[in-house]
Amino acid sequence: MAIRTAHDGSFCDPYIAIDFDGNPNGGEHPITRRVADEGDLSSEQLKATDMRYVTCAEAKLVAEEGASVGLLRKGERSGVKECAAAASGASIGGALDITDDAKPIDDGFEEGASLCAVTSQGTVARATIDRIVYNAGIADSIPTVEFKLTTWGAS
């Protein structure tokens, strides 16, 4: 799974919607989707969105209202229990600025760390950061981030 800027150089409205229950092969319910106009999404698709990757002058991972999303630091145990606990603690708050200038590594956002979420369907998701590249073309401070996604079904 990878996220990159949805910004097209002229408008800041597009964003990347992240649905950890989504289909890794795409289709009608992909894990990531570029959204230019929320009116293009069904209410089901909007409700299923766990996070947004919003880019323009900065890059933010924004947890949707009511979503449970947290960050496990690099080197911490990251099994299903630890990931669920991090998500329930909502350690990223409402948003995490991952623009290079914001020094996201100070918050633990670095290669080897994991974003954890408990989805609306009860799935526990761990997105472990494999690679962060700061060269998306907007002042070279907006990253493209590659993750390895692991999910555990609701019990």
Side-chain angles (χ1 to χ4, degrees):
M1 173 182 119
I3 56 172
R4 58 188 47 83
T5 185
H7 181 42
D8 63 5
S10 58
F11 297 104
C12 290
D13 294 339
Y15 63 89
I16 301 297
I18 303 168
D19 174 6
F20 290 116
D21 287 315
N23 184 338
N25 298 319
E28 190 174 328
H29 299 284
I31 294 172
T32 60
R33 168 194 313 264
R34 183 179 186 274
V35 178
D37 182 348
E38 282 193 1
D40 294 339
L41 297 178
S42 69
S43 60
E44 179 182 312
Q45 289 167 328
L46 279 170
K47 189 170 28 169
T49 301
D50 299 299
M51 300 186 78
R52 296 176 187 215
Y53 183 43
V54 179
T55 58
C56 189
E58 57 191 7
K60 290 192 178 198
L61 283 167
V62 181
E64 288 296 307
E65 187 175 327
S68 296
V69 182
L71 184 66
L72 276 177
R73 290 186 176 263
K74 178 179 178 177
E76 290 184 10
R77 288 183 46 94
S78 60
V80 64
K81 290 179 183 176
E82 293 84 7
C83 208
S88 68
S91 61
I92 73 162
L96 177 64
D97 188 346
I98 61 172
T99 311
D100 192 28
D101 301 344
K103 307 282 187 248
I105 197 167
D106 293 346
D107 292 323
F109 191 86
E110 63 181 314
E111 292 174 6
S114 299
L115 285 173
C116 292
V118 177
T119 71
S120 60
Q121 295 181 20
T123 301
V124 176
R126 178 184 68 212
T128 302
I129 304 166
D130 279 338
R131 187 170 178 213
I132 303 171
V133 179
Y134 286 97
N135 67 353
I138 305 169
D140 291 330
S141 64
I142 306 293
T144 294
V145 186
E146 296 174 6
F147 298 92
K148 178 182 178 191
L149 182 63
T150 304
T151 58
W152 296 275
S155 53

